[in-house]
Amino acid sequence: AQSVTQLGSHVSVSEGALVLLRCNYSSSVPPYLFWYVQYPNQGLQLLLKYTSAATLVKGINGFEAEFKKSETSFHLTKPSAHMSDAAEYFCAVSDQLGGGFKTIFGAGTRLFVKA
Amino acid sequence: DADVTQTPRNRITKTGKRIMLECSQTKGHDRMYWYRQDPGLGLRLIYYSFDVKDINKGEISDGYSVSRQAQAKFSLSLESAIPNQTALYFCATSDPWTGADTGELFFGEGSRLTVL
């Protein structure tokens, strides 16, 4: 079974600083990988996804992630944090299941942005 | 209006009570899911349904049941609620027909359940 590990349950950065949220996955086959973001009192929304088309994936709000097969990693980055980036971020992998997919989530990383 | 709507958004109940959480969607997706979110544990799959006649258990289905009343409706029931079912519950949908099928999920805003 596939699994996802997010390193760090909380990350704090200053406004304007680099954001780096780490994600490692276990998979025996090329996976579909996702980052979702959850703002307070809201559901999750897709930030970006890797579907094997390109290893560097660009998402919404200036975020991007790089798929590194040799490291089984899919870390999320943003060059300059903004206060509005404060949220919880979930890395996820799709596991093929019967006629569809089952998505497995990491435990989440809460991002704090300091003024 | 939201594409995936959950009701109620908040519910406080007592141990032993029966609770139903409802989900309806206007996205026209065949696949629907119920997840539970707990702090530090991420989201865990309770049940999923790939079409109206298909219901499957996820990794934590004990104590829960579901009903897929129509393509657009998927309800989660707690027959006899217990305190450790206190959590944030999410309904989600996915669509296998939009070109590359990757399992991308579309979420409702969540139903916060507290069992006293």
Side-chain angles (χ1 to χ4, degrees), chain B residues 28-42:
Chain B
H29 290 174
D30 287 331
R31 298 175 185 167
M32 298 187 74
Y33 310 78
W34 275 104
Y35 282 90
R36 167 179 172 158
Q37 182 182 12
D38 297 278
L41 296 178

Side-chain angles (χ1 to χ4, degrees), chain B residues 77-95:
Chain B
S77 294
L78 289 69
E79 296 301 325
S80 179
I82 57 177
N84 76 1
Q85 292 178 311
T86 293
L88 184 57
Y89 291 86
F90 284 104
C91 176
T93 71
S94 69
D95 182 7

Side-chain angles (χ1 to χ4, degrees), chain A residues 36 38 46 49 94 97 99, chain B residues 31 35 37 48 102 104-105:
Chain A
Y36 289 88
Q38 183 182 26
L46 184 70
K49 63 181 177 182
S94 280
L97 180 68
Chain B
R31 298 175 185 167
Y35 282 90
Q37 182 182 12
Y48 61 99
T102 63
E104 176 184 344
L105 296 172

Side-chain angles (χ1 to χ4, degrees), chain A residues 90-102:
Chain A
F90 293 92
C91 183
V93 60
S94 280
D95 191 2
Q96 197 132 24
L97 180 68
F101 292 90
K102 181 178 73 173

Side-chain angles (χ1 to χ4, degrees), chain B residues 3-5 7 20-34 49 51-55 66-76 91-93:
Chain B
D3 293 325
V4 183
T5 303
T7 55
M20 179 180 287
L21 306 180
E22 298 184 331
C23 177
S24 62
Q25 51 112 347
T26 58
K27 300 187 76 67
H29 290 174
D30 287 331
R31 298 175 185 167
M32 298 187 74
Y33 310 78
W34 275 104
S49 169
D51 64 45
V52 175
K53 296 181 180 180
D54 176 72
I55 300 288
V66 291
S67 173
R68 184 81 184 266
Q69 300 94 326
Q71 187 208 38
K73 295 185 182 295
F74 192 37
S75 300
L76 176 71
C91 176
T93 71

Side-chain angles (χ1 to χ4, degrees), chain B residues 12 36 43 50 54 59 62 79 94 102-103 106 109 116:
Chain B
I12 300 173
R36 167 179 172 158
L43 278 76
F50 285 167
D54 176 72
E59 57 184 307
D62 287 349
E79 296 301 325
S94 69
T102 63
F106 299 84
E109 294 191 332
L116 302 177

